[in-house]
Amino acid sequence: MKTHKVNTSSFSIALCLIALILSSLGAISMAILDPVDFLALQSIRKSLEDMPGSNFFSSWDFTSDPCNFAGVMCDSDKVVSLNLGDPRAGAPGLTGRLDPEIGKLTALAELSVVPGRIIGSLPRTLSKLQNLRFLAISRNFISGGIPASFSGLRRLRTLDLSYNLLTGTIPPAIGTLPELANLVLCHNRLSGGVPTLVYQTLTRLDLKHNDLSGALSPLSLPSSLQYLSLSVNRLAGPVDRLLARLDRLSYLDLSMNRFTGTIPSCLFSFPITSLQLQRNLFSGEVRPEGQVAISTVDLSFNRLYGEISPMFSAVQNLYLNNNKFAGQVPGSFVDRLMASSMEILYLQHNYLTGIEINPTAELPISSSLCLQYNCMVPPSQTTCPLKAGTQKSRPTSQCVEWKG
């Protein structure tokens, strides 16, 4: 019997070549998109168009790999991220409607739509996206209501439907999403009340510029909140017990509502950079527990009374106008104004009786002081906004302690 010697070197090279071929074939097979996702992307493309100046869909050639399309990201054979439209600020958006077939992208974890002219309602099939963590469809013309079935998006962390035409109430079940951290529904036409948000995952709640009404219960919002804006609604009732719990707030805007009751003293010690409580029905005295370090405090157009606390002297922009404050303006306010540390001090339309300021002193250009329509003759240095009116002082009949 003859034996054949095998050239081990050639054999090794052949094995390597085979391995490379198999590897490349495996890579090709992995790049083939799931047929369901492929058809869903085709339906999405048919329902949307580029607005003039946009070329977002120029790369959506279905004879090539959809995972290389603009805004599409895949993991294995499934679409996991879909960002529709050019994300650059000011870039033209898309027009059309969101096709219900979007709900068949079952592995989708992120869905965003840039500002454009997309109309119609939110597809109810979005609730089938059980892996969805980020949903942002803002600054379009989405109308109708928020589907109650969104309560099934148990992994959702961000829901941003701001600047649309949404109507109806906010589904109460939205407040039970266990991982929700950002809820942004501002600038819509939503009505009803603010849903109770139960989980300590929520850090940002923005519902401003809607038509929300009713009262807030002391336990309706979680203490984990850092950003809260409910301005320009019809919300009412006291909020002192609720606010006292929200000690992580860095931004608070409750302006232009119908809130009543007192402002809790502890609120002024929270790590807030901007406090907007103007144009409500708040009443009572305002007594911060310590020096207020908030940059902007606006308590104007309320029913607050008593003397003004010197603890506000470190505030950069302080609006206390159109209330019922009385007594002397704290001397520390004048010192801060003259040092340009306080830029705006609006005290007009109160019942203040005096301020200790040198008549010949000139305020820095960067400082604005308005004392118009109080129980005193305002200093000549004061500069007021036009809406403060032209009347310098209150009638003496309104000022019991003022002698003229």
Side-chain angles (χ1 to χ4, degrees):
M1 176 183 273
K2 292 183 179 180
T3 59
H4 298 278
K5 293 183 179 180
V6 178
N7 188 324
T8 56
S9 177
S10 299
F11 185 68
S12 298
I13 294 173
L15 285 176
C16 289
L17 288 173
I18 292 171
L20 286 171
I21 292 171
L22 291 174
S23 176
S24 63
L25 288 174
I28 291 172
S29 64
M30 289 182 67
I32 297 176
L33 188 64
D34 183 289
V36 175
D37 284 26
F38 185 89
L39 293 174
L41 288 179
Q42 282 191 324
S43 296
I44 292 168
R45 173 63 186 92
K46 290 176 182 178
S47 66
L48 295 170
E49 295 291 339
D50 282 305
M51 288 177 59
S54 172
N55 61 353
F56 173 76
F57 281 125
S58 62
S59 66
W60 283 49
D61 178 1
F62 285 91
T63 62
S64 61
D65 182 8
C67 293
N68 292 326
F69 290 178
V72 177
M73 182 179 295
C74 301
D75 183 7
S76 185
D77 63 341
K78 304 290 288 184
V79 177
V80 296
S81 178
L82 183 60
N83 303 292
L84 295 171
D86 190 335
R88 294 177 299 178
L94 306 176
T95 184
R97 295 174 180 268
L98 292 176
D99 194 279
E101 292 293 293
I102 202 168
K104 293 185 177 180
L105 300 174
T106 55
L108 202 64
E110 177 180 329
L111 172 61
S112 66
V113 180
V114 303
R117 293 189 174 274
I118 294 177
I119 62 173
S121 59
L122 292 166
R124 297 184 182 276
T125 54
L126 288 174
S127 59
K128 296 181 179 180
L129 304 178
Q130 299 297 308
N131 293 303
L132 199 62
R133 289 181 172 272
F134 182 90
L135 175 58
I137 307 173
S138 63
R139 297 182 185 275
N140 278 280
F141 293 85
I142 302 296
S143 57
I146 301 173
S149 56
F150 273 21
S151 61
L153 302 175
R154 307 301 287 175
R155 302 185 68 184
L156 194 65
R157 291 187 57 81
T158 294
L159 177 60
D160 183 353
L161 303 175
S162 57
Y163 293 89
N164 280 293
L165 303 174
L166 293 171
T167 56
T169 61
I170 303 172
I174 293 292
T176 66
L177 296 178
E179 298 186 27
L180 192 64
N182 304 288
L183 180 58
V184 185
L185 304 176
C186 61
H187 290 269
N188 278 287
R189 299 171 182 176
L190 297 169
S191 57
V194 176
T196 298
L197 299 146
V198 298
Y199 288 102
Q200 296 292 324
T201 55
L202 194 69
T203 57
R204 182 183 182 91
L205 177 62
D206 192 345
L207 304 179
K208 65 176 175 282
H209 285 267
N210 278 288
D211 194 31
L212 301 174
S213 59
L216 300 176
S217 73
L219 299 177
S220 60
L221 303 178
S223 59
S224 55
L225 275 177
Q226 298 175 20
Y227 182 104
L228 175 59
S229 180
L230 301 174
S231 63
V232 196
N233 280 287
R234 294 188 295 114
L235 298 166
V239 289
D240 52 335
R241 291 174 59 194
L242 171 65
L243 294 179
R245 294 177 50 252
L246 306 181
D247 57 359
R248 301 182 190 178
L249 284 174
S250 60
Y251 181 91
L252 176 61
D253 188 354
L254 303 182
S255 61
M256 300 184 72
N257 278 285
R258 301 172 184 176
F259 291 120
T260 58
T262 59
I263 299 172
S265 299
C266 61
L267 181 65
F268 299 103
S269 63
F270 293 170
I272 299 174
T273 56
S274 181
L275 177 60
Q276 310 283 337
L277 301 180
Q278 69 270 25
R279 295 183 184 275
N280 278 284
L281 301 173
F282 289 117
S283 60
E285 297 189 51
V286 183
R287 293 295 177 190
E289 296 174 345
Q291 195 73 37
V292 180
I294 305 172
S295 297
T296 297
V297 175
D298 195 340
L299 309 181
S300 62
F301 291 92
N302 278 289
R303 299 174 178 179
L304 304 170
Y305 56 80
E307 295 187 349
I308 296 174
S309 172
M311 295 298 176
F312 285 113
S313 62
V315 176
Q316 189 173 359
N317 302 294
L318 182 60
Y319 304 84
L320 300 179
N321 53 287
N322 294 82
N323 279 287
K324 299 180 180 180
F325 290 112
Q328 290 273 323
V329 178
S332 54
F333 284 19
V334 177
D335 296 337
R336 298 282 292 180
L337 281 167
M338 298 306 294
S340 300
S341 299
M342 182 178 280
E343 294 183 1
I344 295 176
L345 178 59
Y346 280 180
L347 302 175
Q348 66 269 23
H349 288 260
N350 279 288
Y351 294 83
L352 299 169
T353 53
I355 182 172
E356 294 184 7
I357 187 170
N358 190 329
T360 62
E362 292 187 7
L363 287 176
I365 297 177
S366 59
S367 298
S368 295
L369 169 65
C370 184
L371 282 164
Q372 202 158 296
Y373 208 67
N374 276 284
C375 295
M376 58 184 290
V377 177
S380 58
Q381 306 100 313
T382 59
T383 55
C384 294
L386 292 176
K387 60 184 179 181
T390 58
Q391 201 165 350
K392 296 296 183 183
S393 303
R394 279 188 179 275
T396 55
S397 60
Q398 297 180 14
C399 303
V400 177
E401 299 180 1
W402 188 42
K403 304 303 181 182

